[in-house]
Amino acid sequence: MSNSSLLEMTAAFDCMHCGLCLESCPTYRATGQETQSPRGRIALVRALAEERLDYADVLPSLNACLLCRACEPACPSRVDYHTLVDEFRQAKPAKLLSWMKPAFFALLRFLRRCGVLSLAERIGTPTSRALAASVPSQPTLFPTHFTPPSPQLPQRGTVLLHLGCVQKSFFGDSLKSTANLLAAQGFQVEIPAQPFCCGSSHSHFGEPEKGNQMRTETVAALSQSADAIISLAAGCSAHLQEQSSIPVLDPLLFLNQQGWRTPPVTKKLRAVWDPPCQLDHVLNQAGAMRRALQECTHLQILEPEDAELCCGAGGMSYALAPEVSDAVTQDKIEKILRHKPDVVLSTNPPCRMRLETGLRKAGFKGEILHPVELLTVFSQP
Amino acid sequence: MDSEKSTAGRMKRKHLLVDLKHILGKAHVLTDPGSLLAYESDALTLFRSRPSAVILPKTETEVIACAKRLHQAQIPWAARGAGTGLSGGALVPPGGVVMALTRMNRILEIDPVGMRAKVQPGVVNAALGRAVEPYGLRFAPDPASQTVSTLGGNLAENAGGPQCFLHGTTTNHVFALRVVLPDGTVEDWGTPSGVQDGFDLRGFFAGSEGTVGIAVSIDLRLIPQPDEVCTFLAGYDSVTKACEVVSTLVAKGLQPVALEVMDQNAIRAVEDSVFRAGLPVDAGAVLLVEIEGSKDSVQKEKEAARTILQSFHPSVFKQAATAEERTQLWKGRKGAGGALGRLAPDSYVMDGVVPRSQLAAIMTYVEEVQKETGLHVANLFHAGDGNIHPHFSYDARDAEQCATVEDAGARILRKCLELGGSITGEHGIGLEKENLLAEQYTSEEINLMERVRQIFNPDDLLNPGKGLPMKRGCSEVFRRHAISHG
């Protein structure tokens, strides 16, 4: 990226260095470092534009941004922070993006099953180690020829199921549970042929044009007439919702809006839910999701202290800046474990993977699930 | 000879860094160009100076070890909290080391009965507030930066805030502290009970701008939350009129907890920001009045205040109906400085004091200066204390504008002195005003202060050049405004 195009980034010049964003930033909170704060990152980009720093000096700090966007509502100057980061990253798109193919995920599943990943978690580069550690211990693939059950009559409507790359490759069981749950609640579930990935990561890690194109293709594939697109990934939902004319919702949020036909029953459990940043800071649905969780599980859903802080996943940031991400995750895990949970809930796959990595390392023996699985796995007949 | 010297200097520096890394761990000694740039200024970007290293200790032991090592190396250094200071207080001259205390952020003890808390210096002001709220307590000093600024920084600068009109600044809320002196020795000043015997070194420390020592633990005074709070918002056609109302309120013996004025430019910036508070954008100025206390006393004061506020024919008059409305008003007031960022790339916040009766006079002068310079100025101030904060918008890339802004600031502060006031209310002297100090005090007075400081900081290596004019005319070592390249 040329410095002149950086200079056009007015965002860097809207910031007046007041620092009111600092405490909203998970990486600043975890490290105490100015370079790991929104204000610090903006100062670095501005210094780059002013030719006071080189690109390489700025990169580590910008790589470590989790793009949780919690700083944006804290900014009195309304700095368009995420655009600044997105644009900065265009100069050097993350290499990982080109690996986001079905074959790579299949390889990771295979390596996890045969135990090679446990080894890879201990050797290799920090990035490869973080990546290896993030693959769930029991990944399940969503079958290509899955036929959703017929809706319980009378039918109340139709929904389109968005699969999503990570969701489909690692958490196929959650997708199956979702289809079954929606059908049992009276919805026709359609699973149209769709691109493997919605392009969200591409948009935020340096390839926005490609990301937008992938989104256009995904939205086109999910354009049948329906009540909603159902997605188990808050990150995908936020990305798709920007373009989709129909709501893109988490299944529980959707069912809670529609009203439960037969309220599900769950065991008495201590459940902690950590709201994903995309749901909280981008879609503004954390409150609605919280209510939905309480109502459908009849559990007191606990949240970690400072729940609004990111878990350290940040899409694929955890692999690009593992040290900073580790500090953020460690803090989150401590706060989750303070509740002594039986089960930890997450509604976004990268967060779920990140939490599983951290929780297992801390010796947590319970389940880490999307809440939709809580309703099926533990439901009492 | 020169090259030999510089080789020796490099070696010395290398050894120092090796030792600091040994004390703190590699991850907490930063020397990469990006990190150094990020610590080149605090929230007053008019002054910049890149340190040669940034160190982030986590414990008292580490602070002591670092201080001893820095003392041995005779390297200038300074402590920094969140970097929200507004007088360049956390900058070091080239070659110096910044000690960021953000990782020392534990609340060590809350004593609800004794109404006190013991904290590390990196604890954020508002975090302490949240922690003591369940006990029905609060920490009174409330600088606009309180959601992010650290208590160590608040203490070093003797920070104020809107509520300090009634409750006093930070120094009134500190019982005791443990201080690490520049050579690494440790002193305990004050007593946890709040009773001071002997010389009040605790009081001396508050507002010493990080030039006396580093407070590694601080015993703070907490006060009960009030039974009742009432907040009025009144819009007037001019700042002068709002100032007149303030004088009248105080003259009639009312004791509001806060009396804040914002002019039209400030109102518009707030209303255009995320802190939109429903302020009247057409009013020349708004006055925020907050009254707190027991139910009875608030009821009485409230009615008296209402009568006075209304007798000046406000264009808008309302009372915050809910706690949310009240919070929104204060968020607007406290976010106003930041909200001005949308108007220009940089902003210079001034801090001066005049006797309350001279508020209208100083505001007229600010307006004159504004007209002469042609720069955008917004005013928000703690009217109860006569503490003004004109905010000048400018572009730091324009050297001429920088000079104009700095000159305008100095002229306004001289006027404050002329009107019987002071060159700082709550931001400190820092780098910003050390030259003006000589206009407020005689050289004998400054020498006396210098001698007192030398008892604790004899080599002037801890935060050199702050608070008092630098000797040897070396204040030029701090690059002023102009952004140098490279």
Side-chain angles (χ1 to χ4, degrees), chain B residues 255-378:
Chain B
Q255 283 197 317
V257 62
L259 279 171
E260 295 289 312
V261 174
M262 281 187 263
D263 76 356
Q264 194 174 59
N265 284 343
I267 296 168
R268 291 189 172 169
V270 170
E271 289 306 302
D272 192 33
S273 78
V274 287
F275 296 133
R276 197 172 303 120
L279 305 176
V281 288
D282 293 328
V286 291
L287 171 61
L288 280 174
V289 181
E290 186 152 293
I291 297 160
E292 64 168 43
S294 68
K295 278 203 165 101
D296 285 352
S297 73
V298 169
Q299 198 56 37
K300 258 187 236 158
E301 287 239 328
K302 189 167 111 178
E303 288 320 314
R306 188 198 301 274
T307 313
I308 296 168
L309 289 168
Q310 285 183 329
S311 70
F312 283 85
H313 310 294
S315 57
V316 177
F317 181 80
K318 65 178 181 190
Q319 181 185 343
T322 59
E324 287 73 40
E325 258 186 61
R326 180 178 160 255
T327 309
Q328 201 51 44
L329 283 175
W330 283 112
K331 269 193 180 165
R333 164 61 187 84
K334 292 185 178 180
L340 290 161
R342 290 191 72 74
L343 303 174
D346 300 278
S347 173
Y348 176 36
V349 190
M350 291 190 40
D351 169 44
V353 180
V354 291
R356 213 164 24 237
S357 56
Q358 300 289 354
L359 266 175
I362 190 72
M363 291 325 294
T364 311
Y365 186 74
V366 171
E367 207 181 318
E368 266 172 46
V369 173
Q370 186 271 324
K371 277 188 188 137
E372 260 175 61
T373 57
L375 292 170
H376 183 277
V377 179

Side-chain angles (χ1 to χ4, degrees), chain A residues 16 32 34 39 50 52 77-78, chain B residues 40 82-83 102 342 347 483:
Chain A
M16 55 177 308
E34 182 72 19
R39 176 176 71 172
E50 291 167 348
R52 301 197 296 137
S77 230
R78 287 197 303 191
Chain B
E40 73 176 3
T102 40
R342 290 191 72 74
S347 173
I483 293 171

Side-chain angles (χ1 to χ4, degrees), chain A residues 39-107:
Chain A
R39 176 176 71 172
R41 292 188 176 109
I42 293 168
L44 294 192
V45 172
R46 183 170 167 167
L48 178 64
E50 291 167 348
E51 295 181 341
R52 301 197 296 137
L53 279 182
D54 295 329
Y55 183 80
D57 303 329
V58 179
L59 188 63
S61 158
L62 269 288
N63 258 351
C65 173
L66 300 161
L67 263 187
C68 67
R69 293 175 61 178
C71 54
E72 291 182 2
C75 175
S77 230
R78 287 197 303 191
V79 172
D80 188 4
Y81 176 77
H82 73 280
T83 305
L84 179 105
V85 177
D86 283 347
E87 288 186 11
F88 173 84
R89 286 178 175 173
Q90 284 181 48
K92 199 176 160 200
K95 285 189 194 125
L96 279 176
L97 289 176
S98 54
W99 298 355
M100 296 189 69
K101 305 251 161 62
F104 180 62
F105 285 95
L107 177 69

Side-chain angles (χ1 to χ4, degrees), chain B residues 48 59 82 117 130 155 157 191 243 327 357 360 372 434 444 478:
Chain B
R48 297 161 200 256
T59 64
R130 282 193 299 275
L155 172 63
E157 299 293 335
T191 62
C243 294
T327 309
S357 56
E372 260 175 61
E434 48 163 27
E444 286 78 14
F478 290 101

